[in-house]
Amino acid sequence: AAVDAATRKSRPGGVFEAMLTPLLPAVFDAQGEKADDLRDAAARRNARNIAARLKVADGVLAQRIAEGRLKIVSANYDLTTAQVAFEA
């Protein structure tokens, strides 16, 4: 839905708009990558964006990362293969 909203420049309205708005930066970044599968590229970009935000959003997480006690990586679940792909 976020990809459709971004590519068609439409606004879903209501509760959907609030849910999709945080996803739009990932869609726009994926468009710039000229990916063959825009939905897949946007999902992967969104996972990377969330992982990056988690690394700095909470002092406890940041401290554990600095101590080497925690590592945050992005991951994507493929519905067709039931496989999880982790990114370093």
Side-chain angles (χ1 to χ4, degrees):
V3 170
D4 290 339
T7 57
R8 295 180 186 160
K9 296 183 177 33
S10 64
R11 300 191 65 134
V15 68
F16 293 110
E17 186 166 352
M19 292 172 25
L20 297 179
T21 298
L23 301 172
L24 293 177
V27 176
F28 296 136
D29 288 345
Q31 284 178 313
E33 295 170 6
K34 307 253 191 257
D36 290 334
D37 184 343
L38 183 57
R39 285 179 176 81
D40 181 65
R44 292 181 185 284
R45 172 60 71 176
N46 188 56
R48 287 192 297 270
N49 290 351
I50 291 171
R53 285 197 313 262
L54 282 172
K55 291 176 184 179
V56 297
D58 183 272
V60 174
L61 296 180
Q63 179 182 350
R64 291 197 173 136
I65 291 168
E67 295 168 351
R69 296 175 51 203
L70 176 67
K71 183 175 183 179
I72 296 177
V73 298
S74 63
N76 287 276
Y77 179 75
D78 187 317
L79 292 171
T80 58
T81 65
Q83 297 293 313
V84 177
F86 292 92
E87 295 186 22

